[in-house]
Amino acid sequence: MTLLRTLVPLLLALGLTGCAIVLIQPYSPEQRLQLALQRGDIVLVREIMTTLPANEDDPDRAALRAWLERAERHMEQAMLMQAAGHLRREQWTQAQASYDHGLAVRPDSEILRAARARALKEQQEHLQHLRVRLLLSQGRALASLKPLYAQILRADPDDPSVQQASAQAQQDAGQVAEGLLQLGLSAMDEADLALAVEALSLSQALVPDPAAEAALQSAQAAQTRQQALERRAHQAQLQAQWAQRTQVLFSNFEGAMEAGDLPAARRHLLALEQAQPRDATVRRLRRELAKAVDAEVTLGLETGRRLYLDGKIPEALETWRNLLELRPDHPDLQAHINRAERALESLRRLEPGGPGATGTP
């Protein structure tokens, strides 16, 4: 109470003499630190910690510093994720606010600074893209409106609203044409020839100009050369891809032949013939496969005959059917299959309960 009686006259005197009022902080740094911790105010905690005297031997102070470091890292990641969510929704202002909040907590974070810089760059590029689209849209709209207004005025020259709209369109056309000309020239400098041709074409359509016409011709010539180079590069890429695919097919064919998988070898050879129909190596492989197939079919026919004569008709039929993929047009093979199928059908009829069986009297 004595201190209060002393301070009140002093404060009144300072106020009456025009001096600034001195605010008395009622809490100690330790008390303010506890209040900041209770509120979860990491920024204030960091600020108060810098004012406290260093005491490396204080375990509570060391634990608090460790907690503060963990909290700052957690906040850094949280703000990065929050900003990324805003960017996905094109909420650029909110994303920057998230980065700024994170940097207020962790001002030395290189990750946050780099992410904020990338976001600003993306925002500027996005804005530039939108402005280009807007200018092109204005050019297309005016290019459509001008002849339409002219047609209406030829039919009704005294329509005041159309006269006013036509005059406004003519005025706007000059401004938009100039913007399109500058856009086209800038696009040429950046080698964006498609954009350059579109912008310069619209500029010339709105307001014919020798400078725009010369730039347009230059851009069209450069675009023609670029397209020719792209076609040649694409053709070379296709040829390289075909060469690589052909090599793979050759390897697959050789592997199938070594494994004795003649059906697979036949499939790979058919693909090779489509890729290289006049290649001498492909013709040699065709002869090699034909010899192997002839030998396989001859052996399979004989194996099937032995099985058939031994009464193993299902096994014989399966053997002959497996050869059909190699020689689907082989006359003897198809005849053997037909005979075996008829024999099996006859046997099924003779089985008890079969369609041809007779009951006992």
Side-chain angles (χ1 to χ4, degrees):
M1 184 62 71
T2 303
L3 177 61
L4 184 59
R5 292 196 188 97
T6 305
L7 287 175
V8 169
L10 177 61
L11 292 174
L12 289 174
L14 290 173
L16 291 174
T17 57
C19 296
I21 297 176
V22 178
L23 296 178
I24 305 300
Q25 177 57 258
Y27 299 111
S28 66
E30 288 79 5
Q31 291 173 323
R32 293 176 58 218
L33 181 61
Q34 292 300 322
L35 290 174
L37 287 171
Q38 291 173 8
R39 293 198 300 266
D41 191 339
I42 300 176
V43 177
L44 184 57
V45 171
R46 167 192 278 274
E47 179 184 338
I48 297 172
M49 287 285 290
T50 59
T51 65
L52 295 176
N55 189 352
E56 301 297 336
D57 298 330
D58 188 344
D60 293 336
R61 192 74 56 79
L64 182 57
R65 283 194 295 269
W67 172 86
L68 184 60
E69 178 64 24
R70 290 193 301 271
E72 288 177 353
R73 286 199 300 268
H74 176 76
M75 178 64 73
E76 178 184 63
Q77 293 301 316
M79 291 301 99
L80 286 170
M81 294 176 63
Q82 186 182 81
H86 288 313
L87 291 175
R88 283 194 297 271
R89 296 185 291 272
E90 296 186 1
Q91 297 172 337
W92 306 97
T93 303
Q94 293 89 327
Q96 290 299 323
S98 297
Y99 289 131
D100 291 341
H101 183 62
L103 286 169
V105 174
R106 202 169 176 83
D108 298 330
S109 172
E110 294 296 332
I111 297 176
L112 283 169
R113 291 184 183 278
R116 184 176 64 174
R118 284 195 304 271
L120 285 171
K121 182 180 178 182
E122 291 175 6
Q123 182 182 11
Q124 294 303 317
E125 291 174 350
H126 182 65
L127 283 172
Q128 179 63 21
H129 176 69
L130 292 177
R131 292 189 179 106
V132 168
R133 287 177 55 191
L134 177 61
L135 185 58
L136 292 173
S137 298
Q138 290 173 333
R140 297 188 197 102
L142 288 170
S144 301
L145 287 174
K146 285 181 61 181
L148 185 58
Y149 287 146
Q151 290 178 358
I152 295 175
L153 289 176
R154 282 196 297 270
D156 186 5
D158 299 327
D159 189 329
S161 62
V162 177
Q163 289 176 350
Q164 182 179 0
S166 178
Q168 184 63 49
Q170 190 66 33
Q171 179 181 349
D172 294 341
Q175 298 175 354
V176 173
E178 178 61 26
L180 288 167
L181 174 59
Q182 297 305 319
L183 174 61
L185 295 175
S186 176
M188 287 183 66
D189 292 338
E190 297 175 2
D192 190 348
L193 298 177
L195 177 59
V197 169
E198 183 178 8
L200 293 171
S201 298
L202 284 172
S203 177
Q204 186 67 4
L206 292 175
V207 180
D209 179 78
E213 183 179 6
L216 176 59
Q217 292 175 354
S218 177
Q220 288 173 331
Q223 186 182 42
T224 300
R225 292 192 297 270
Q226 184 186 57
Q227 289 172 344
L229 290 173
E230 289 175 352
R231 283 194 299 270
R232 285 196 289 270
H234 181 65
Q235 184 63 28
Q237 183 181 11
L238 287 178
Q239 291 176 351
Q241 290 174 350
W242 272 108
Q244 183 179 7
R245 182 171 182 269
T246 301
Q247 184 60 44
V248 171
L249 290 172
F250 272 120
S251 300
N252 291 341
F253 175 83
E254 294 294 341
M257 290 294 289
E258 291 176 5
D261 190 351
L262 296 182
R266 184 173 181 271
R267 290 193 297 271
H268 295 315
L269 183 60
L270 288 174
L272 274 171
E273 289 175 339
Q274 292 177 355
Q276 302 288 344
R278 292 183 293 274
D279 188 83
T281 304
V282 174
R283 292 196 295 271
R284 178 182 60 79
L285 295 179
R286 189 186 304 119
R287 292 192 296 270
E288 179 183 342
L289 179 61
K291 291 180 181 179
V293 167
D294 287 341
E296 182 74 11
V297 171
T298 301
L299 178 61
L301 281 171
E302 186 59 31
T303 301
R305 288 192 191 99
R306 288 198 301 269
L307 291 170
Y308 187 88
L309 293 174
D310 291 341
K312 300 177 180 179
I313 299 176
E315 291 83 350
L317 181 59
E318 182 181 2
T319 300
W320 289 331
R321 281 176 174 169
N322 290 337
L323 298 175
L324 274 179
E325 186 176 358
L326 297 175
R327 282 293 173 82
D329 56 348
H330 195 290
D332 293 341
L333 182 58
Q334 190 61 56
H336 282 63
I337 291 174
N338 293 338
R339 185 168 65 250
E341 288 176 344
R342 289 195 300 270
L344 282 178
E345 182 63 25
S346 298
L347 290 174
R348 280 195 292 269
R349 289 178 180 276
L350 295 175
E351 291 177 354
T358 58
T360 57

